[in-house]
Amino acid sequence: MSRQNIVALRTFRPSRTAFFLAVLLLLLILLAPVATRVEGAADDLCFPETGRCTSALFSTYWWEHGGLAQQGYPLSDLIDEVSPIDGRAYRVQYFERARFEYHPENAAPNNVLLGLLGREQYQAKYPAGRPSGGTGDQCFPETGRCVRGVFFAYWQQHGALAQQGLPLSDEFDEVSPVDGRAYRVQYFERTRFEYHPENAGTPYVVLLGLLGHEQLFLQSPTPAAPAVTAVPTVAPAAPFAAPAATVVPAATATPPIAPTATPTAGALDAEEAAFLALINDYRKQHGLGPLTVAATLGDAAAWLSADMAAQGYFAHTDSLGRDPFARMCAFGYCATAYKGENIAAGNATAQATFAQWQASAGHNANMLDPHYTVIGIGRAPGGPYQWYWTTDFGSAP
C-alpha cells in the first residue's frame, strides 16, 4: 500500500479507520515474502521465487537479521566450501546479498555468521586498495576508514559491526556489475552499501549490493540452467525504482584490443536488426523517439559479446578489466553523455532477448530512458550459454 494511502487512512472516522487498518494488515500479510514450510522440518523455509530452501538454523538467522531486505532470497542449497579467509571448510548457503556460514566452534547465537563477502570482493577488485576519502561521522582506526551521512545511519540501524563489519573503503563511484550503471558505494567487511537517489523518500535509498549473487556466479559461471539476464532471475531483495541514468565524464580514448574471437564489423545481422525494430517500436509506444545505430557503440557492443563468448564469462567488466564506459571510449565513444549497457545470455533471437530485458526493471529502464538517442547492438555465438547479447546506449551522437 502506498504512503498516500496510509496517510489517507488517518483522515477517516474511528469506525472506518478500524476497518481499513484491518484491511491494511491483511494486505501486508498477503504481500509478505512467500515462504513455505518443509514437511517434517517446521522451521525450514522454501521460496518458490528461486526454488531453494533454507535449513532451520539458517532460516532462524534470516528472520532475525533483516529477512528479505537484508539477505535476499536463497540462491543455493547448503554446500561445504573452503573459506578464503582461514582455509577451513564450512557449511554455507548463498543468498542474494550474503553468504551464511555455520560455525560449530561458536556457541549460539554466533554459530551462524555472515561471510566476509565485502572483503573478498573488495580485495579481488582493488588489490592495491583505494585512496582515503577523509573524515566522516565515525572513523575506524582498525581500517583507517570513515563512514558518514546516510551510510553511517544505515550502518547504525542495521546491525552495525556484527552485521556489516568494519568499513574497508571510503565512499566512491563504482559501475554496478548487475545493471552497468554507476552508484556511490562503500565496501564493508561483509557487504557493499549502495546509494540509490532514485529511491529518495523511501527506506530503500541505501541498498546492500548483490554480493551473494555476484560471488556465486563468479565461482560457478556455468549453472545447470542457461543464464537469461544480467541480473538475478529472482526478484530483487527490496523494492527499488529503475536506476537513474548516470552522466559519465569524457575519458581518454585508448586503442581497442580485439578479443580472442573478433567480431566482424559492418551492418547488423538479421536478429540484431530485428531487435532494433523491437526496441524502437517499444519506445514509440511510450512516446519516446527512436534510437539510431552509432558505429562506435556497435563496435563496443559486438566486442563485448564476442569476448564473453570466447572467454566464457558473463559480466559488464570485460576480460581486459574495463567497465562499460571505458570500453565505449576505447572504441571511440568518449562523449560526456548519459550512457548505459544491457547484457543477456542464453537466447539467439531478438524477441527472446527483448523479453528478458523487458521483464527486468533496470534493463527495461535503459530501453525506455528518454535521454538515449543512439545504440550499439552486438550478439555472438559460443561460450557456456551459446549466445551473448550486448546493447550500449548513449545520449550524444
Side-chain angles (χ1 to χ4, degrees), residues 9-388:
L9 287 176
R10 296 174 182 168
T11 67
F12 294 142
R13 295 188 300 274
S15 60
R16 297 183 65 190
T17 300
F19 170 76
F20 277 91
L21 286 176
V23 173
L24 175 60
L25 178 61
L26 177 61
L27 286 174
L28 289 175
I29 293 172
L30 292 175
L31 293 174
V34 178
T36 58
R37 295 189 181 275
V38 178
E39 185 176 358
D43 291 327
D44 285 17
L45 295 172
C46 290
F47 295 82
E49 293 85 352
T50 60
R52 302 293 185 179
C53 300
T54 69
S55 69
L57 186 66
F58 284 172
S59 66
T60 298
Y61 187 95
W62 188 89
W63 280 118
E64 293 178 353
H65 294 82
L68 195 61
Q70 284 286 298
Q71 316 301 344
Y73 291 112
L75 298 180
S76 76
D77 294 318
L78 293 174
I79 55 177
D80 291 323
E81 184 176 273
V82 176
S83 168
I85 303 299
D86 63 14
R88 298 175 61 184
Y90 295 99
R91 177 62 54 92
V92 307
Q93 184 168 20
Y94 280 84
F95 293 75
E96 288 179 292
R97 304 183 189 278
R99 180 182 67 224
F100 287 17
E101 298 178 353
Y102 174 54
H103 287 255
E105 72 278 10
N106 295 341
N110 297 320
N111 55 346
V112 176
L113 298 175
L114 294 183
L116 299 176
L117 288 183
R119 180 190 294 180
E120 294 167 30
Q121 290 269 338
Y122 182 69
Q123 291 177 343
K125 291 180 179 179
Y126 309 102
R130 291 191 58 85
S132 174
T135 61
D137 294 314
Q138 182 170 339
C139 296
F140 296 82
E142 297 91 339
T143 60
R145 300 295 184 171
C146 302
V147 189
R148 63 177 182 172
V150 294
F151 282 175
F152 182 58
Y154 189 95
W155 186 86
Q156 286 184 306
Q157 296 163 12
H158 295 84
L161 193 62
Q163 184 79 7
Q164 316 299 345
L166 293 166
L168 301 178
S169 74
D170 293 307
E171 295 179 15
F172 65 98
D173 293 330
E174 182 183 71
V175 175
S176 168
V178 173
D179 63 17
R181 299 190 176 204
Y183 296 98
R184 176 55 56 101
V185 305
Q186 185 168 13
Y187 279 81
F188 293 77
E189 289 180 293
R190 303 184 190 280
T191 190
R192 179 183 67 226
F193 286 15
E194 299 177 354
Y195 177 59
H196 287 256
E198 71 277 7
N199 295 336
T202 76
Y204 309 111
V205 68
V206 176
L207 296 177
L208 299 184
L210 298 171
L211 292 189
H213 166 74
E214 295 168 27
Q215 187 88 346
L216 185 62
F217 182 82
L218 286 173
Q219 293 175 350
S220 304
T222 312
V228 295
T229 178
V231 296
T233 55
V234 299
F240 68 100
T246 302
V247 178
V248 181
T252 303
T254 56
I257 302 175
T260 303
T262 305
T264 302
L268 301 177
D269 69 22
E271 289 299 329
E272 292 165 350
F275 182 87
L276 180 64
L278 283 169
I279 191 172
N280 279 337
D281 182 63
Y282 188 41
R283 289 173 63 87
K284 182 178 180 180
Q285 294 172 24
H286 288 80
L288 301 173
L291 302 174
T292 58
V293 174
T296 51
L297 289 181
D299 289 343
W303 190 97
L304 180 62
S305 291
D307 192 50
M308 288 191 291
Q311 304 292 344
Y313 70 94
F314 182 55
H316 290 283
T317 301
D318 63 35
S319 63
L320 302 179
R322 300 176 300 187
D323 65 31
F325 312 122
R327 184 171 53 256
M328 292 178 197
C329 188
F331 282 90
Y333 192 81
C334 301
T336 300
Y338 286 85
K339 301 173 186 177
E341 180 175 87
N342 284 352
I343 60 175
N347 284 301
T349 68
Q351 184 63 59
T353 302
F354 175 78
Q356 291 170 343
W357 285 335
Q358 191 179 32
S360 164
H363 298 81
N364 190 61
N366 267 343
M367 295 198 295
L368 294 179
D369 194 311
H371 297 97
Y372 296 149
T373 59
V374 291
I375 190 174
I377 307 170
R379 68 176 189 139
Y385 301 133
Q386 307 305 316
W387 282 95
Y388 295 79

